[in-house]
């Protein structure tokens, strides 16, 4: 039995310790916002946060996530009102939408450690996330827009 903390909730799952976290999330816990892309950790569609850092859940054994705080796209904002989600809509980022959860999770990890990233820093941080539709300029603009929204919120805390 694997004991996990996902989106602030303690969960127990009967999974082989070597099962990729992605399959635990999607198949055992029905958290289907995280997507399967390449299965090798190369495309970023399966990105989730592990203790606030972006990780590829398709290549991470669930045993490596025990004791850590896991955040999925469902946990970023239950209402879909996270500044990145709002910026994604405002900049009309999604085309097919398949990679978007992973893109947003990578962007959220970036903004958590750098609230004012330059365009070059955004490009570097997002370079491991592939979008078949080629919406990279919109993704960068959305991240810059969300970063502006992050500033007052962080100062208010």
């Amino acid at each position: 039995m694997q004991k996990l903390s996902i989106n602030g909730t303690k969960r127990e799952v009967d999974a082989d310790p070597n099962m990729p976290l992605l399959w635990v999330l999607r198949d055992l816990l029905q958290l289907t916002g995280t997507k399967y892309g390449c299965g090798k950790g190369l495309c970023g569609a399966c990105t989730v946060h592990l203790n606030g850092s972006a990780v590829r859940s398709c290549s991470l054994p669930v045993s490596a996530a025990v004791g850590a705080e896991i955040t999925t796209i469902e946990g970023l904002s239950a209402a879909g009102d996270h500044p990145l989600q709002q910026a994604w809509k405002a900049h009309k980022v999604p085309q097919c939408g398949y990679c978007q959860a992973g893109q947003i999770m990578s962007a959220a990890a970036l903004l958590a450690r750098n609230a004012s990233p330059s365009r070059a820093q955004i490009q570097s941080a997002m370079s491991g996330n592939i979008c078949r539709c080629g919406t990279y300029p919109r993704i960068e603009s959305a991240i810059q827009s969300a970063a502006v929204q992050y500033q007052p919120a962080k100062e208010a805390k």
Side-chain angles (χ1 to χ4, degrees):
M1 193 67 71
Q2 307 292 320
K3 295 180 181 181
L4 303 170
S5 178
I6 303 172
N7 300 330
T9 302
K10 303 288 184 203
R11 308 284 297 262
E12 289 189 14
V13 293
D14 186 13
D16 182 302
N18 293 319
M19 177 183 271
L21 177 61
L22 174 64
W23 300 129
V24 171
L25 296 171
R26 289 187 56 83
D27 293 350
L28 302 182
L29 300 174
Q30 280 68 55
L31 294 169
T32 57
T34 305
K35 304 298 184 201
Y36 173 78
C38 66
K40 298 180 187 279
L42 302 173
C43 74
C46 66
T47 302
V48 299
H49 293 175
L50 192 70
N51 292 330
S53 296
V55 298
R56 306 300 195 239
S57 64
C58 72
S59 56
L60 184 74
V62 67
S63 60
V66 172
E69 179 58 39
I70 302 161
T71 306
T72 67
I73 190 71
E74 291 91 346
L76 197 60
S77 168
D81 59 359
H82 185 279
L84 280 166
Q85 293 167 316
Q86 294 299 314
W88 242 245
K89 292 176 192 169
H91 289 270
K92 298 182 170 82
V93 173
Q95 293 292 305
C96 79
Y98 196 81
C99 70
Q100 300 305 302
Q103 298 272 2
I104 289 173
M105 295 307 288
S106 288
L110 167 64
L111 293 181
R113 67 178 188 277
N114 180 357
S116 300
S118 67
R119 191 165 281 272
Q121 290 169 324
I122 292 171
Q123 290 170 345
S124 176
M126 300 301 292
S127 65
N129 288 78
I130 297 172
C131 174
R132 289 182 176 192
C133 303
T135 61
Y136 301 110
R138 291 184 195 173
I139 290 169
E140 292 167 18
S141 295
I143 293 170
Q144 287 184 316
S145 177
V148 170
Q149 294 176 11
Y150 270 11
Q151 300 300 326
K154 287 199 167 197
E155 291 173 5
K157 289 182 180 179

